[in-house]
Amino acid sequence: PFNKVLSLLSDPDIWWHLRNAEELVTSGRLVRADAYSYTVRGAPWINHEWLGEVPYYLGWRGLGLQGLYLVMTMALVAIFLLLYRLAYLRAGDYKAAAFACGLAIPLATVSFGPRTLLFGWIFLLLELLILETYDSHPRRAWLLPPLFVLWVNTHGSWLVGIALFL
């Protein structure tokens, strides 16, 4: 079982993200300088993914590799539930929505793993749901600024969200 969990964690960046989050959680301060590079150690640096790193760190701290797997799995479940909801709103048919989710699985395997990008997908789908329901619920547009505040601090994919918004 351990090797199976480890094979699902093929993204080597997770260890760097865990170290950044550990520094944040233990010190209460964001990392502001590069601490890992040999050539530019100490150079100013902004960790723009700190909010996406914290859930993985908490999972790792609480349950080890299984905790990382749990956070990743919860993010993937959220992605596919949001995708199903969006597809259902667009198609008006639960079978078509399920089919769309099924088609998305092979495409999504590129992103499977403990990656902060998963949170970017969640925010993208939330943005699309807000925009999709704008005509019937225009007040939901007020959710976009806080969504982007969270997204900007989670993953760089927020730029895709801005492009779609424009």
Side-chain angles (χ1 to χ4, degrees), residues 82-100:
L82 291 167
L83 179 61
Y84 178 84
R85 178 70 179 145
L86 182 62
Y88 180 77
L89 287 174
R90 294 289 295 168
D93 180 41
Y94 70 91
K95 289 179 184 176
F99 183 71

Side-chain angles (χ1 to χ4, degrees), residues 90-135:
R90 294 289 295 168
D93 180 41
Y94 70 91
K95 289 179 184 176
F99 183 71
C101 285
L103 288 177
I105 291 172
L107 299 173
T109 58
V110 173
S111 298
F112 285 5
R115 304 178 70 198
T116 56
L117 173 62
L118 296 181
F119 298 111
W121 286 115
I122 290 170
F123 290 129
L124 176 65
L125 288 163
L126 288 171
E127 176 191 15
L128 291 172
L129 282 166
I130 291 167
L131 295 175
E132 180 66 27
T133 59
Y134 179 78
D135 288 339

Side-chain angles (χ1 to χ4, degrees), residues 20 22-24 53 66 75 79 112:
N20 288 335
E22 179 183 41
E23 177 69 26
L24 171 63
E53 295 170 343
Q66 288 79 7
I79 288 167
F112 285 5

